[in-house]
Amino acid sequence: MTVPEANETLPVAVLGHGRRMVVLSNQSDENLCSWLPFATTLIARGYAVALWDFGDASPVTELDHVVRTLRTATGAPRPFLAGASWGAKVSLIVAAQARPQVRGVVTLSAERILHPSTDVLDYVRKVRSPLLLVTADHDPYGSAEAAALFLEAAPTHHKTLISIPGTRHGTALLTVPAPTAVVPRILAFLRASEAGE
């Protein structure tokens, strides 16, 4: 599937089937392949997964177009948004503006500022979908501090902060071993968000 955006076309890979959709957005130094192990886990749990790479236009506009196109093409009116670092910030901004609301948002290492000067906190104050914030407690890019602010500011009643010991950032958080493993907690959040509707 492709998504037209300005003067380019964004390729979007949809894996799995059904209306339970998770849209995965990359951190700035990775591409969609970094999500494949987690995508496989989601598909095995019955979710469809959308993988895509940012292009050259506004990242917020691009993700918004991806979500709108998926709604039309797949019949999934309210996907989950999940992102790592850069993609986490963009997911929060799009979630604040999406109508209808997305089903939930999962962020891995979302920092406060989206380059060059967008304060993500301003948008988090409008996020009413269930929200899961995941960070390392010594994240080297300020995600831990931002996550605490986001948790306090988000108006949703369904919000959780998971802080993992260490300095892992972005998708590296998905490889944390037991007993603090992140993936089972994300899956539990997805299930709880669906059950709460």
Side-chain angles (χ1 to χ4, degrees):
M1 184 176 80
T2 59
V3 177
E5 164 53 28
N7 296 320
E8 64 179 333
T9 300
L10 296 173
V12 178
V14 178
L15 310 177
H17 304 282
R19 294 166 55 89
R20 301 166 69 223
M21 171 75 68
V22 183
V23 182
L24 301 175
S25 298
N26 310 323
Q27 59 197 67
S28 59
D29 60 344
E30 294 183 350
N31 60 32
L32 60 83
C33 293
S34 64
W35 289 111
L36 287 175
F38 182 54
T40 301
T41 298
L42 290 172
I43 293 164
R45 300 315 192 272
Y47 294 95
V49 177
L51 302 171
W52 68 292
D53 285 328
F54 288 104
D56 297 323
S58 156
V60 173
T61 301
E62 288 181 344
L63 178 55
D64 181 67
H65 277 259
V66 168
V67 170
R68 290 175 183 270
T69 301
L70 287 168
R71 282 175 172 159
T72 302
T74 68
R78 296 183 59 212
F80 286 99
L81 302 184
S85 193
W86 176 275
K89 294 180 282 189
V90 174
S91 295
L92 286 167
I93 293 172
V94 170
Q97 302 172 336
R99 297 295 179 271
Q101 293 179 4
V102 297
R103 186 165 288 182
V105 187
V106 177
T107 70
L108 305 176
S109 308
E111 304 101 336
R112 180 169 174 176
I113 301 299
L114 179 65
H115 182 78
S117 60
T118 300
D119 190 341
V120 179
L121 183 61
D122 293 338
Y123 293 89
V124 172
R125 292 189 175 106
K126 303 173 186 176
V127 174
R128 298 192 176 277
S129 302
L131 175 62
L132 176 61
L133 304 157
V134 186
T135 184
D137 59 7
H138 290 91
D139 181 272
Y141 304 103
S143 169
E145 295 80 4
L149 292 173
F150 294 163
L151 183 71
E152 181 178 359
T156 177
H157 297 296
H158 306 284
K159 53 186 177 181
T160 303
L161 169 60
I162 296 174
S163 184
I164 301 299
T167 60
R168 294 176 194 240
H169 186 79
T171 55
L173 289 165
L174 298 173
T175 63
V176 173
T180 58
V182 169
V183 170
R185 295 155 94 175
I186 295 176
L187 295 174
F189 167 80
L190 299 178
R191 291 192 300 270
S193 299
E194 292 173 316
E197 292 188 338

